[in-house]
């Protein structure tokens, strides 16, 4: 068996803790309630535009975008994934969370959450790609 470098091992531990935190925030710390869903695409965006309570919807959207940014970044770094694989895995992870919320009654299953989480994860992937590219350029210069 190949031995992991300490930084890589620490990264896997951090990624595991991060996954636990995401699951805690989206599932484990919520009370069981009714099976609820909102599958109308972009309803939060429409509410944000046409509602007096814009800040609530902005926080909801931004929270979902930001929540999975580390997921895309760390997936790319730890597993050397390409864009397509990162997109698919991120989308599946988000769908898993939403379906689990619905089946356990621990949240509102939303299309918007899947979309925002996936866009957030892809943004994390793009950030990783940009950082890796800058590192390559810097290494080539110096």
């Amino acid at each position: 068996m190949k031995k992991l470098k300490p930084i890589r091992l620490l990264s896997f531990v951090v990624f595991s803790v991060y996954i636990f935190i995401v699951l805690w925030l989206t599932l484990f710390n919520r009370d069981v309630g009714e099976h609820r869903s909102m599958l109308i695409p972009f309803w939060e965006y429409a509410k944000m535009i046409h509602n007096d309570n814009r800040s609530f919807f902005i926080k909801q959207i931004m929270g979902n975008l930001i929540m999975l940014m580390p997921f895309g970044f760390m997936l790319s770094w730890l597993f050397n994934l390409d864009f397509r694989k990162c997109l698919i895995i991120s989308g599946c992870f988000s769908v898993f969370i939403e379906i689990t919320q619905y089946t356990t009654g621990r949240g509102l299953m939303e299309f918007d959450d899947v979309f925002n989480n996936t866009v957030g994860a892809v943004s994390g992937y793009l950030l990783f790609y940009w950082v890796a590219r800058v590192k390559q350029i810097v290494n080539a210069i110096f």
Side-chain angles (χ1 to χ4, degrees):
M1 185 170 152
K2 187 176 176 182
K3 188 174 179 180
L4 292 176
K5 293 180 183 178
I7 189 71
R8 193 130 174 101
L9 181 60
L10 178 63
S11 299
F12 277 108
V13 170
V14 168
F15 186 62
S16 299
V17 169
Y18 163 76
I19 294 294
F20 177 79
I21 290 169
V22 168
L23 294 176
W24 177 263
L25 291 172
T26 59
L27 298 169
F28 303 140
N29 78 334
R30 297 181 177 199
D31 293 331
V32 175
E34 297 177 17
H35 301 284
R36 301 177 307 133
S37 64
M38 174 54 85
L39 302 178
I40 298 169
F42 309 113
W43 76 276
E44 285 181 326
Y45 291 89
K47 290 280 189 183
M48 179 184 66
I49 294 167
H50 301 293
N51 195 310
D52 290 336
N53 196 6
R54 284 185 180 90
S55 64
F56 172 79
F57 291 103
I58 290 170
K59 288 176 189 173
Q60 287 291 106
I61 292 166
M62 292 306 295
N64 280 302
L65 287 168
I66 292 167
M67 183 173 63
L68 279 186
M69 267 182 127
F71 187 80
F73 189 94
M74 294 187 82
L75 266 183
S76 304
W77 183 41
L78 292 171
F79 303 105
N80 196 28
L81 299 180
D82 61 21
F83 179 84
R84 186 172 87 6
K85 288 179 184 172
C86 183
L87 176 69
I88 291 168
I89 292 170
S90 301
C92 288
F93 182 60
S94 185
V95 166
F96 165 77
I97 290 170
E98 296 303 312
I99 289 173
T100 305
Q101 283 181 338
Y102 180 78
T103 57
T104 62
R106 292 182 180 262
L108 175 64
M109 178 176 70
E110 298 179 62
F111 169 85
D112 287 10
D113 285 355
V114 172
F115 176 79
N116 293 328
N117 289 341
T118 304
V119 168
V122 166
S123 298
Y125 167 85
L126 293 173
L127 178 62
F128 170 79
Y129 179 78
W130 179 79
V131 168
R133 186 74 180 125
V134 167
K135 184 179 176 207
Q136 265 183 338
I137 292 168
V138 169
N139 288 340
I141 293 171
F142 300 103

